[in-house]
Amino acid sequence: MRHFTGVQDIGDLHEALRQALEIKKDRFKYVELGRNKTLLMVFFNSSLRTRLSTQKAAMNLGMNVIVLDVNQGAWKLETERGVIMDGDKSEHLLEAVPVMGCYCDVIGVRSFARFENRADDYEEKILNQFINYSGRPVFSMEAATGHPLQSFADWITIEEHKTVVRPKVVMSWAPHPKSLPQAVPNSFAQWMVAAGYDVVITHPHGYELDTKFTAGARIEYDQMKAFEGADFIYGKNWSAASPEHYGQILNTDRSWTIGERQMAVTNNAYFMHCLPVRRNMIVTDDVIEGPRSLVIPEAANREISATVVLKMILESL
């Protein structure tokens, strides 16, 4: 695997799961694979789980790690071609990216949607500049439209806890005070469909995701109906994805907050969320702290998904 930006890059899912479970039993089994190799992690946005889990994954594989916070201690970077750079940005990404490539063997990039231009976000301009100009394998640590490392970890978690071959997995929109990207829900929908699950996405009208990510999933606007008989509930907020309302908050209906009322109609479902989570906005305290909450196990599996992805990339060098 040269680059990792989505489920299409991982190859055979059964083999990916086999490797994940193998690594989970022995995180240092392939510690020699990354010896004398360097991972550069580039953060345009804040991170907790992604930073810690990916750095730990690289260490599991014996790699050296460099972390660059673009907004703290680095030159401000211009990303658009043709701009007269007479403002506060001192360096262009088109020079910075190949320079970064000189100092490492693999690059991880975290760059959220900016909500300034939908076309730019959905073209993944920043991530693709690293792929096109760094000369190195690149993997996404969350981009404008996808978060594949998170969804890989989510899928591992479901596989570890499911009791039927084809569980019903419901992703539910929930209210949030800020505009959030569609990256996590986009990736989650893609990975769950690829896994062959019965996938249902529920949200108010106006929050439809791009169909290129939701193809194969059922859309249900009645949250309670969607939850009926579910085996797994994935809570998440996202802002509007349509061109006319891109990045906007259209609804703050607190009745969509996931609580005991909704969970009572499920098949004793597990609750999942990528974290960080706004308690009593996305989910109530009793649900996230309950015995069917998987938010900590799925966060722990971020180390495993990152280790598998880095292992596959290193094997291709």
Side-chain angles (χ1 to χ4, degrees):
M1 180 168 65
R2 175 70 176 176
H3 305 296
F4 178 72
T5 63
V7 67
Q8 71 279 356
D9 299 315
I10 201 68
D12 182 80
L13 284 177
H14 296 291
E15 174 58 19
L17 179 63
R18 185 199 66 77
Q19 292 192 41
L21 298 179
E22 175 189 53
I23 285 169
K24 198 163 185 177
K25 291 178 182 177
D26 182 0
R27 285 165 169 76
F28 300 101
K29 183 173 182 178
Y30 299 99
V31 70
E32 294 299 319
L33 188 60
R35 183 176 294 279
N36 297 326
K37 296 290 191 297
T38 298
L39 168 65
L40 171 62
M41 299 165 60
V42 182
F43 291 89
F44 289 84
N45 300 95
S46 301
S47 175
L48 189 152
R49 277 150 297 277
T50 297
R51 175 179 298 218
L52 296 178
S53 63
T54 308
Q55 186 163 353
K56 177 63 165 61
M59 294 166 65
N60 292 348
L61 296 167
M63 300 185 76
N64 304 309
V65 181
I66 302 172
V67 178
L68 175 64
D69 284 306
V70 171
N71 297 319
Q72 297 181 19
W75 298 113
K76 289 187 177 181
L77 295 174
E78 178 58 65
T79 60
E80 297 299 317
R81 191 185 294 271
V83 173
I84 297 174
M85 292 175 58
D86 60 354
D88 64 344
K89 296 176 180 177
S90 303
E91 185 161 11
H92 202 288
L93 202 64
L94 292 178
E95 285 79 60
V97 166
V99 168
M100 294 180 201
C102 295
Y103 307 139
C104 64
D105 301 281
V106 182
I107 301 177
V109 180
R110 184 173 177 90
S111 178
F112 294 174
R114 297 183 176 185
F115 291 141
E116 296 171 357
N117 184 302
R118 186 185 188 278
D120 286 351
D121 285 344
Y122 272 68
E123 290 172 11
E124 294 289 5
K125 278 194 169 182
I126 292 179
L127 179 63
N128 283 323
Q129 286 188 67
F130 277 88
I131 290 173
N132 293 333
Y133 301 113
S134 69
R136 301 299 182 192
V138 174
F139 66 95
S140 170
M141 299 192 299
E142 187 172 354
T145 65
H147 196 353
L149 284 176
Q150 177 65 53
S151 298
F152 187 6
D154 296 334
W155 174 60
I156 294 168
T157 307
I158 291 175
E159 285 291 305
E160 290 178 317
H161 290 85
K162 71 179 187 180
T163 58
V164 295
V165 174
R166 190 171 186 259
K168 180 179 180 180
V169 178
V170 178
M171 179 171 68
S172 176
W173 179 93
H176 196 282
K178 296 176 61 178
S179 291
L180 296 186
Q182 297 96 41
V184 169
N186 285 344
S187 279
F188 186 78
Q190 280 193 313
W191 280 77
M192 298 305 108
V193 169
Y197 299 153
D198 177 12
V199 184
V200 180
I201 303 172
T202 184
H203 53 73
H205 288 278
Y207 283 93
E208 293 79 8
L209 296 166
D210 194 307
T211 55
K212 73 179 181 180
F213 298 106
T214 61
R218 291 183 287 131
I219 310 301
E220 173 56 65
Y221 295 100
D222 184 328
Q223 188 191 40
M224 293 300 292
K225 184 177 179 181
F227 275 46
E228 291 177 359
D231 299 296
F232 295 86
I233 299 296
Y234 199 94
K236 189 70 183 80
N237 173 270
W238 61 89
S239 59
S242 63
E244 60 270 29
H245 297 296
Y246 181 59
Q248 295 179 22
I249 297 175
L250 305 178
N251 192 317
T252 57
D253 185 357
R254 293 282 294 278
S255 72
W256 281 79
T257 298
I258 299 167
E260 291 293 348
R261 176 176 66 89
Q262 291 94 334
M263 298 300 287
V265 302
T266 70
N267 183 30
N268 195 24
Y270 288 103
F271 174 79
M272 302 177 70
H273 189 279
C274 60
L275 302 180
V277 65
R278 298 272 185 144
R279 286 183 175 226
N280 302 305
M281 288 289 294
I282 301 292
V283 60
T284 59
D285 289 332
D286 49 358
V287 171
I288 196 170
E289 294 177 10
R292 305 293 281 180
S293 175
L294 294 179
V295 296
I296 303 305
E298 66 181 297
N301 276 333
R302 290 294 309 278
E303 175 191 347
I304 306 305
S305 65
T307 305
V308 174
V309 167
L310 280 170
K311 172 180 175 291
M312 290 182 175
I313 290 174
L314 287 170
E315 288 172 338
S316 72
L317 294 180

